[in-house]
Structure formats: C-alpha cells, structure tokens
Amino acid sequence: MKIRIELPFHLRNLAQTGREVEVEVAAPVSLERVLDALEERYPVLRGNIRNHHDKKRRELVRFFACEEDISNDDPSLKLPAAVQAGKEPLIILGAIAGG
Amino acid sequence: MPSVRVLVGTRKGAFIFHSDEERKRWDIQGPLFGGWEIYHMKGSPLNPNRIYASQSGGWFGQVVQRSDDGGETWEAVSNEFLYDEGPKEHKYYDGSSKPWKFVRVWHFEPSIHDPETVYAGVEDAAIFVSRDGGKSWKELAALRNFGTGQEWAPGAGGLCLHTILQDPRNPDRLFVAISSVGAFRTDDGGRTWKTITKGLHSDYLPDPDAEGGHCVHNMALHPSRPDVLFMQKHWDVMRTDNAGDLWYEISNNLPTDFGFPIAVHAHEPDTIYVVPITSDALHYPPEGKLRVYRSRNGGQHWEALGNGLPQENCYVNVLRDAMAVDQLESCGIYFGTTGGHVFVSPDGGDTWQAIAENLPSVLSVEVQTLP
C-alpha cells in the first residue's frame, strides 16, 4: 500500500524532498513499518526521528494521523484506515517547544 | 597565491568565508544547514577539501555532514554513535546518577596522520573514532572505563568532551578535555588513558586539588613542541611542559583568568591568546570592552589587544571552539562571538576587523590555509 507521509521542514531538507513523500508498505501497516520504509528510502533520516538502537521516538518528534496524536501509541498497532488507504497522510512534526 | 577559508558554526547554521592572504575582502557562503546548530566544522589537514560539520538540534538530533569539495556540496555520513561497554551511568547535577546518552558532537578532529581518520568528541562525554571518513564510528571506550567514568558530572553546558589534541610525533598520543571532569592523555591510541590534572586547583571543588572535577574549557598546543600544552580552565590559565604530567598557572597579569578559548600562534610556540571574560557569573568581557590578550613569552606577561574591537558597551562571550589561527606568514587570528561577530586580525592580534557582524550566535570558528 502507498502511504503518504508529511515531513517537517528540517527533515524534508535533510531528505531533499518535498513536504509529502510516499512509501510502499505491505500490510499490516503500522507506524513502525511505515517508519522502517521511510528510513529505508531516505537513510539520511535514520536517528533523526527515532533512536538508532531502541527505535524509540525522539522526545520532541510527534506523529499525527486523522487528527489524532498517536505519538505515544504502541508503534506496532495498525494505523487508521484512512492512512492505510492513502486518503490521509501520517504527519511527522516537531513539537512546539520554546518561547 | 595562498588563501584562507574560515569555517563558522552558529546556533542557526554554518557560514564559510573566503579571502586571499591580505584578509581584507571576504566572500561569504551560507547559511548552510539553516536553522540547525552547527557546533563545529573542521577540515582535514591532509586533505583540505574534506570538511566535517556537526549539525544538530533538540528536535531531530545529530547529523554528521561531510564535504569533499571544500564545502561546495555536502553528504550526510553516519550519525550512529553507540557507546561501547562501560559505566552505564554518570553523575547528574543533583547528585543522582543518569544513564549515558548520546546528545551531540561537540568537536571533530580530523587526523593529522591519516586522511580517512577523524575523531569526534561528544556529549555525554566520550571520544569516538572513524577510520572511514565518518561512515562508521567506534568509541575509544577505555576513556570512560578506566575508573572514574561513573563519577563524571556535567558542567553548565553538559557533560561534553570538547577538546581533542594530537601529537604530530606520535599518532598514538591524544589529549582530551571534558567539562566538568578534567583532562586525559593516551599514549597507545586510546587503549589506556591517564588523568592529567596534577597542578590544577579549582576552588569550587571540596578538595581544590582533587584529581577529577576540574572544568577544563579548552586546551591548545603548538605542533613543534607538543609536550607544552596551554589550558583555559573555568578559572585559571594553565601550562604544562611535560605533556600534562604537571600543570602550573600562567594567568599572571590577566584582568581575569576566566574564559573559554585558548590558541597558539602558528609560528611562535610561546605566543598564546585568550579572551578574558569577567567571571563565571558574568559571561561578558570586563568593562564592556572586547579584548584579546596575547602573551609572547608563554604566559609570563599578557598584553591587551583591542585595536578594531568594540571598546564600549560590548557584552558578548567567546565560546571555547570559537578562536583559531591561520598558517600564513603573518599569522591571522580569528574569533567569533555570541553576538554574531566574526573578527580577524591579519597581523597576529595587533589590529582587528569584523568579517561579519550580524550572524547568529557563533559556536565555533576554524580556519584552513590553502596553497
């Protein structure tokens, strides 16, 4: 399935791509499988969304899908159907932090 | 005709400045990696077109950038810094113990012996080496392992290994410094390390003469005399004549001996430079006057150099990696400020001019002298 991913400014510059990218992910489409596919296609993003060693989300990176914050959900759970169908993107963003 | 390339890391990106040997007119390239903190950039002395840049940020972590064409184009190489076996925790500000965690690269030191080897000093404090131009990294873990690692505690800027010096006579000898831990030396390529803090005295420690806990800010050496090291400590400017076995103070007539960077003239091993800062509570120059101090006799006497520098209402700081020297016949001295200035003196410190005045806060300055 083609999954749409929206990247924040700094990651899209790192990956030298546009605001939105697509990756092919076989079912079951979970957050961790989408991130695996994203890092496979754009190796420069390894370590900048999740830690290298334990794959934990970096503290100030958030994941939104279908107007829900799924950052703290189990990353092996299936993503919402609209994301799986390519109707909605998985949004990766930097948390608002600062003044 | 020789020229210089100045590599400037700031809180919001990198800038590269080019000039001829006159060092009067400058071309500016940048910002590169806009919006990211560039803690350090440094070129290989064996292959000057090879430059490493530490690109990092609180949101997305570390990127290691490498250029093989003098900064025209860049390629991200490995940012995987995995700690080897060693102490699992170090001390934290509140006395608790905290797991060792990679935060960022503070300093790259390309080898003077092998063009593909580069060292990285990182936070939480450790030294890593790459033998393949940054494509993979391995910790020289004996530094954390030889006995005191679990007692290390951060300074205000973090538990960072920020200084790496090489001995041109011996590729197996390295000196490193960590805030606020101290200084160390290896004579066997990192297999074993020795604490080199004898002679350091820090009144902020319960035992001012303790082996560990000294907040070393920066060290420098001249390649012709690598057993002589100069150190800017939190307080005190220090010198050793025996590769760190014993230090002695050379602050002498400095207006204050607090500061961050220290540098050695390219052709005069006894000519050294510091930027005195009022105190650890007041991180700006005394009297609002930005002055570099130069000693031409190894620290016995210091003279103020302010010709061309702001001499009123100047309240900036100069960070530990933000001063460098070039190798031209008339040695150039460079430094950057937290106020976004970059200054150059093409005559060893006698006169100064601004290369740039409104950059983001400057974290690091390095200079390459090109044939």
Side-chain angles (χ1 to χ4, degrees):
Chain A
M1 281 176 264
K2 272 198 167 53
I3 306 299
R4 295 163 54 202
I5 306 171
E6 196 174 300
L7 294 173
F9 176 82
H10 284 310
L11 295 189
R12 82 182 81 123
N13 286 346
L14 259 187
Q16 297 181 14
T17 186
R19 184 185 188 92
E20 192 170 297
V21 298
E22 285 186 348
V23 293
E24 191 74 38
V25 182
V29 179
S30 63
L31 177 62
E32 66 186 6
R33 287 169 65 89
V34 171
L35 295 178
D36 286 346
L38 178 68
E39 291 172 352
E40 181 69 27
R41 178 156 170 201
Y42 301 103
V44 70
L45 299 180
R46 287 182 180 146
N48 302 118
I49 300 170
R50 315 180 281 181
N51 296 334
H52 279 286
H53 59 291
D54 60 10
K55 302 292 183 192
K56 277 190 181 165
R57 169 178 63 83
R58 288 186 54 78
E59 289 171 347
L60 297 179
V61 174
R62 311 296 294 188
F63 306 119
F64 291 177
C66 300
E67 300 186 345
E68 295 286 338
D69 183 352
I70 62 168
S71 306
N72 295 319
D73 291 359
D74 179 347
S76 66
L77 294 177
K78 280 187 192 174
L79 288 174
V83 175
Q84 296 194 45
K87 291 178 183 168
E88 290 283 338
L90 168 71
I91 299 172
I92 301 176
L93 73 163
I96 295 296
Chain B
M1 187 173 178
S3 63
V4 291
R5 182 160 59 211
V6 183
L7 311 172
V8 178
T10 79
R11 292 243 177 242
K12 295 291 178 186
F15 298 83
I16 301 179
F17 298 79
H18 302 263
S19 186
D20 59 23
E21 62 184 335
E22 296 296 316
R23 291 156 290 182
K24 286 183 178 164
R25 284 180 297 280
W26 294 87
D27 295 326
I28 303 177
Q29 176 189 348
L32 307 168
F33 323 119
W36 292 75
E37 293 179 314
I38 308 300
Y39 264 61
H40 196 221
M41 289 198 291
K42 192 158 187 178
S44 164
L46 300 176
N47 173 12
N49 279 334
R50 165 72 59 85
I51 303 171
Y52 298 92
S54 172
Q55 173 186 359
S56 69
W59 282 263
F60 304 112
Q62 180 72 49
V63 181
V64 177
Q65 297 280 1
R66 189 183 95 183
S67 175
D68 286 318
D69 55 12
E72 291 296 318
T73 63
W74 296 83
E75 174 193 12
V77 288
S78 176
N79 61 354
E80 190 168 9
F81 294 87
L82 292 180
Y83 293 99
D84 207 334
E85 290 298 312
K88 301 245 181 298
E89 296 183 319
H90 60 78
K91 292 293 185 198
Y92 196 52
Y93 301 113
D94 60 3
S96 64
S97 291
K98 197 173 179 185
W100 231 278
K101 181 183 175 187
F102 173 80
V103 179
R104 65 169 59 86
V105 174
W106 277 66
H107 184 97
F108 283 122
E109 192 64 32
S111 170
I112 57 176
H113 303 285
D114 170 32
E116 292 302 311
T117 295
V118 55
Y119 300 95
V122 312
E123 176 187 355
D124 286 337
I127 180 170
F128 285 77
V129 63
S130 172
R131 310 274 184 206
D132 54 12
K135 291 177 183 166
S136 64
W137 298 94
K138 178 167 176 47
E139 187 191 0
L140 298 178
L143 176 62
R144 288 189 304 127
N145 266 334
F146 83 97
T148 59
Q150 66 277 7
E151 298 300 324
W152 295 0
L159 181 58
C160 54
L161 192 155
H162 49 68
T163 299
I164 303 170
L165 300 178
Q166 303 172 75
D167 186 331
R169 301 167 308 188
N170 177 4
D172 286 333
R173 171 172 277 191
L174 296 171
F175 303 92
V176 302
I178 301 171
S179 293
S180 54
V181 175
F184 302 88
R185 186 183 82 214
T186 178
D187 292 321
D188 54 14
R191 283 188 291 279
T192 61
W193 294 83
K194 176 185 180 185
T195 304
I196 50 167
T197 53
K198 192 174 178 187
L200 302 186
H201 182 93
S202 299
D203 285 332
Y204 49 79
L205 294 174
D207 172 5
D209 302 309
E211 187 178 82
H214 300 279
C215 195
V216 180
H217 283 182
N218 197 216
M219 301 193 300
L221 61 75
H222 192 277
S224 72
R225 206 175 54 177
D227 285 341
V228 177
L229 274 68
F230 300 100
M231 172 193 290
Q232 172 70 66
K233 192 161 65 63
H234 192 83
W235 291 100
D236 302 335
V237 179
M238 306 294 293
R239 169 178 174 153
T240 173
D241 296 329
N242 47 21
D245 288 341
L246 182 64
W247 296 86
Y248 59 95
E249 188 172 358
I250 55 168
S251 306
N252 292 314
N253 65 312
L254 284 171
T256 157
D257 57 16
F258 186 89
F260 291 92
I262 189 163
V264 185
H265 190 284
H267 315 303
E268 301 169 14
D270 261 330
T271 298
I272 50 181
Y273 300 85
V274 294
V275 185
I277 294 297
T278 306
S279 71
D280 51 2
L282 300 172
H283 278 198
Y284 46 73
E287 303 168 42
K289 298 178 179 177
L290 183 55
R291 289 170 295 193
V292 174
Y293 276 68
R294 175 176 63 196
S295 172
R296 289 185 137 149
N297 50 19
Q300 292 176 51
H301 179 81
W302 297 88
E303 58 182 318
L305 309 171
N307 186 356
L309 298 176
Q311 294 304 295
E312 58 182 6
N313 302 319
C314 184
Y315 294 95
V316 297
N317 195 1
V318 179
L319 300 181
R320 72 185 87 237
D321 247 344
M323 187 158 68
V325 303
D326 69 29
Q327 304 291 318
L328 292 174
E329 187 176 344
S330 175
C331 176
I333 318 297
Y334 303 75
F335 72 93
T337 75
T338 55
H341 311 83
V342 178
F343 292 104
V344 58
S345 169
D347 49 18
D350 292 340
T351 61
W352 297 86
Q353 65 190 66
I355 303 177
E357 293 181 291
N358 295 300
L359 300 184
S361 183
V362 174
L363 296 170
S364 63
V365 174
E366 293 286 353
V367 57
Q368 297 180 281
T369 308
L370 307 172

